[in-house]
Amino acid sequence: TSKTSIQAFINVQSGPAYFMHFKYAALLNIIFVTMTYGFAIPILFPIAAAAIAVLYFVEKTMLFYAYRMPPMYDERLSQSVLGMLSWAPIFLTGFGFWMASNK
């Protein structure tokens, strides 16, 4: 490259920044859509499992080969996502009961 400093070269050659909140948002979207409509459309469960597996392997590969060193996150983000995920079975039960009882 035509960069004259090492830091400029590293900035060009290193990948994009790693943002964990976008990954959690995609995961929550997959899970909540599946839990909301899964009782009526059972094919969503294997599709969601495949989507989560693909998301896992792509993100793991990108972490190793493309992204910069991820920033240090504390446990608050993970704990808030786990708190939201505890509502997913309630969605499945509520919407499933509604779909089964609706004529």
Side-chain angles (χ1 to χ4, degrees):
T1 66
S2 61
K3 301 298 177 189
T4 56
S5 69
I6 293 176
Q7 186 61 44
F9 178 76
I10 290 172
N11 289 339
V12 168
Q13 295 299 321
S14 63
Y18 184 77
F19 295 119
M20 184 62 117
H21 55 280
F22 289 128
K23 282 44 168 185
Y24 276 145
L27 185 67
L28 286 172
N29 188 17
I30 292 168
I31 290 172
F32 273 94
V33 167
T34 301
M35 293 297 172
T36 302
Y37 301 110
F39 188 83
I41 311 168
I43 192 71
L44 281 178
F45 292 109
I47 291 172
I52 290 170
V54 166
L55 184 69
Y56 172 77
F57 288 117
V58 167
E59 291 304 318
K60 185 66 80 169
T61 305
M62 292 295 285
L63 267 174
F64 287 142
Y65 296 111
Y67 288 127
R68 295 180 188 177
M69 179 68 94
M72 296 300 296
Y73 290 105
D74 59 354
E75 70 276 354
R76 287 185 307 160
L77 183 62
S78 297
Q79 293 298 326
S80 69
V81 168
L82 288 175
M84 285 184 248
L85 278 178
S86 66
W87 287 92
I90 297 170
F91 269 61
L92 178 64
T93 304
F95 280 95
F97 179 75
W98 175 52
M99 288 178 195
S101 65
N102 192 8
K103 295 181 183 182

